[in-house]
């Protein structure tokens, strides 16, 4: 069996594809998985590091405001179907799975025209533009949240499966994670990151919190995103040398498991990882996403007692430090938040995913 994954744009689209590839290869002997994505995107690096063949395609997202950049977007979109057919003819997949992002837009319709079964996966409560544009070409639409189906035209195709996660996000304790990373077992550790591309506001608040938190006996580890790292490394050389300031975290499961508190965005896959690993969080939803779905995600987790929400317009080093100290000084609340976060996640994702895939093969 040969499976082609179309994904790109951000880690929230790429990591579910990697998780699905792991599940399929574990359960179907001899399965070959390949990825198609933007030739300059992070999906290329992640696919190649995982040993998966990678097929590049030139395509980019649509700016929601008027921009001359959209002229290139339309030009690349016009050329993408021909490149998609070329990739499909070369790899000859048994199944094509699109996990969101603009890369899915040309591949899914091209596969459908060639008679190849197609699957879309949408991890958010509100579907992205590429899913809405391609849902009619999909045989099955897999969702993390049931509420997402209300935003789709072809609801009869939907199946709720939760969020497929990479194998590292299960079975690792805080002590094991700290031993693996060489972190002190008794420290109170806060992990902070702003997503795969980074976020200036989160990085500013986090880096300004290094010294005040250290004075309170708290170790802050912050992943900036590669585009922000070089400038921040100049301002915080000691933190960079001590690996408390990092450009990117590949072994995210270990770092998340090692933490007492996690400060992050409220993307759907990140929240699923928090639930799987059972960690309390301070969620800073991005206000720049479709239909403000991250705030809806964050409010759900706060309502269920697994997180505190901090809106971006209220974010500062002071407001961030205040919430971190509050959690450190209330260990019983912190333990309860960990249990609540773990209870939000689904334990049947792998079974539901495999059942859906088997129905097409």
């Amino acid at each position: 069996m040969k499976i082609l994954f179309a994904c790109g744009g951000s880690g929230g689209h790429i990591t579910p594809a990697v998780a699905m590839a792991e599940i399929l290869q574990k359960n179907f002997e001899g399965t070959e998985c390949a990825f198609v994505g933007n030739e300059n995107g992070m999906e290329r690096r992640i696919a190649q590091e995982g040993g998966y063949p990678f097929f590049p395609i030139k395509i980019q997202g649509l700016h929601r405001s008027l921009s001359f950049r959209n002229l290139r977007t339309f030009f690349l979109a016009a050329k993408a179907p021909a490149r998609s057919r070329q990739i499909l003819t070369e790899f000859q997949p048994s199944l094509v799975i699109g996990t969101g992002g603009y890369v899915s837009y040309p591949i899914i319709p091209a596969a459908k025209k060639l008679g190849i079964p197609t699957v879309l996966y949408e991890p958010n409560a509100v579907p992205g533009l590429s899913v809405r544009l391609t849902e009619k070409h999909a045989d099955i639409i897999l969702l993390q949240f049931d509420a997402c189906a209300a935003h789709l035209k072809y609801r009869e195709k939907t199946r709720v499966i939760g969020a497929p996660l990479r194998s590292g996000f299960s079975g690792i304790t805080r002590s094991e994670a700290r031993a693996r990373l060489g972190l002190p077992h008794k420290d109170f550790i806060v992990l902070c990151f702003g997503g795969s591309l980074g976020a200036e506001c989160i990085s500013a608040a986090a880096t300004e919190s290094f010294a005040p938190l250290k004075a309170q006996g708290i170790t802050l580890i912050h992943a900036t995103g590669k585009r922000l790292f070089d400038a921040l490394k100049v301002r915080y050389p000691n933190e960079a040398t001590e690996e408390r300031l990092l450009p990117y975290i590949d072994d995210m499961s270990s770092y998340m498991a090692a933490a007492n508190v996690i400060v992050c965005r409220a993307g759907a896959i990140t929240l699923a990882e928090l639930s799987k690993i059972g960690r309390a969080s301070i969620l800073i939803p991005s206000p720049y996403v479709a239909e403000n779905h991250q705030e809806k995600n964050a409010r759900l987790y706060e309502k269920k007692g697994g997180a505190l929400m901090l809106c971006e317009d209220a974010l500062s080093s002071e407001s961030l430090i205040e919430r971190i100290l509050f959690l450190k000084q209330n260990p019983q609340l912190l333990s309860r938040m960990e249990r609540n976060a773990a209870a939000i996640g689904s334990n049947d994702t792998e079974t539901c995913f495999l059942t859906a895939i088997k129905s097409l093969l």
Side-chain angles (χ1 to χ4, degrees), residues 9-26:
S10 72
H13 298 132
I14 302 163
T15 51
V18 174
M20 290 177 182
E22 290 180 357
I23 293 170
L24 290 168
Q25 290 181 321
K26 180 178 69 174

Side-chain angles (χ1 to χ4, degrees), residues 180-221:
R180 180 184 298 175
L181 298 172
L183 297 173
H185 285 271
K186 294 185 179 180
D187 282 14
F188 190 92
I189 296 175
V190 176
L191 174 66
C192 178
F193 55 93
S196 57
L197 302 178
E200 286 90 343
C201 61
I202 294 177
S203 282
T207 52
E208 291 169 10
S209 301
F210 274 130
L213 288 176
K214 187 175 182 180
Q216 296 289 335
I218 297 172
T219 298
L220 173 65
I221 299 172

Side-chain angles (χ1 to χ4, degrees), residues 192-208 222-229 231-232 235-236 265 284 286-288 312 315-317 320:
C192 178
F193 55 93
S196 57
L197 302 178
E200 286 90 343
C201 61
I202 294 177
S203 282
T207 52
E208 291 169 10
H222 175 53
T224 65
K226 291 186 176 180
R227 67 187 176 92
L228 303 177
F229 179 71
L232 289 170
R235 295 178 59 189
Y236 300 94
R265 290 297 200 191
I284 306 167
S286 171
Y288 312 110
E312 188 171 299
L315 174 63
S316 65
S317 58
L320 181 60

Side-chain angles (χ1 to χ4, degrees), residues 5-10 14 35-45 48 54-61 69 72 76 87 102-104:
F5 290 92
C7 59
S10 72
I14 302 163
F35 285 67
V36 56
N38 194 302
E39 59 183 356
N40 298 316
M42 64 183 295
E43 56 267 28
R44 181 173 199 147
R45 177 182 63 82
Q48 291 177 339
F54 182 83
F55 296 93
I57 187 169
K58 291 182 178 180
I59 193 165
Q60 64 185 31
R69 188 174 182 271
R72 177 170 169 78
L76 293 177
I87 293 169
Y102 43 81
V103 176
S104 298

Side-chain angles (χ1 to χ4, degrees), residues 85-326:
R85 290 191 296 270
Q86 182 183 28
I87 293 169
L88 293 165
T89 301
E90 181 178 347
F91 186 63
Q92 296 188 342
S94 313
L95 176 69
V96 174
I97 302 177
T99 58
Y102 43 81
V103 176
S104 298
Y105 171 69
I107 296 291
I108 296 297
K112 187 66 175 179
K113 287 181 180 179
L114 293 174
I116 302 169
T118 56
V119 175
L120 281 174
Y121 176 66
E122 177 53 74
N124 292 299
V126 178
L129 178 62
S130 67
V131 170
R132 297 199 302 271
L133 289 174
T134 56
E135 60 172 303
K136 67 180 180 181
H137 302 288
D139 293 300
I140 292 177
I141 306 170
L142 304 178
L143 308 175
Q144 178 174 188
F145 300 114
D146 181 64
C148 183
H151 301 274
L152 296 170
K153 294 180 180 179
Y154 298 87
R155 299 179 193 177
E156 70 280 1
K157 297 181 180 181
T158 62
R159 301 186 188 184
V160 179
I161 66 166
L165 298 178
R166 293 163 290 176
S167 56
F169 283 92
S170 61
I172 181 171
T173 67
R174 182 176 284 118
S175 295
E176 290 170 342
R178 293 190 178 192
R180 180 184 298 175
L181 298 172
L183 297 173
H185 285 271
K186 294 185 179 180
D187 282 14
F188 190 92
I189 296 175
V190 176
L191 174 66
C192 178
F193 55 93
S196 57
L197 302 178
E200 286 90 343
C201 61
I202 294 177
S203 282
T207 52
E208 291 169 10
S209 301
F210 274 130
L213 288 176
K214 187 175 182 180
Q216 296 289 335
I218 297 172
T219 298
L220 173 65
I221 299 172
H222 175 53
T224 65
K226 291 186 176 180
R227 67 187 176 92
L228 303 177
F229 179 71
D230 288 340
L232 289 170
K233 180 175 65 173
V234 173
R235 295 178 59 189
Y236 300 94
N238 292 336
E239 287 77 8
T241 301
E242 296 168 4
E243 295 188 336
R244 289 187 288 126
L245 184 73
L246 301 167
Y248 188 78
I249 295 175
D250 288 310
D251 188 7
M252 184 59 81
S253 58
S254 293
Y255 274 90
M256 290 179 76
N260 297 94
V261 175
I262 296 171
V263 180
C264 58
R265 290 297 200 191
I269 299 302
T270 297
L271 295 182
E273 292 169 349
L274 289 171
S275 293
K276 188 68 174 181
I277 220 152
R279 290 294 176 268
S281 59
I282 299 170
L283 299 176
I284 306 167
S286 171
Y288 312 110
V289 295
E291 301 188 44
N292 204 25
H293 67 254
Q294 283 204 10
E295 183 173 332
K296 295 173 184 177
N297 293 344
R299 289 195 183 282
L300 172 66
Y301 269 66
E302 185 176 53
K303 182 179 180 180
K304 290 181 178 290
L308 302 179
M309 189 180 80
L310 177 58
C311 289
E312 188 171 299
D313 59 7
L315 174 63
S316 65
S317 58
E318 291 79 11
S319 62
L320 181 60
I321 291 168
E322 178 186 13
R323 285 160 176 77
I324 292 171
L325 289 177
F326 172 73

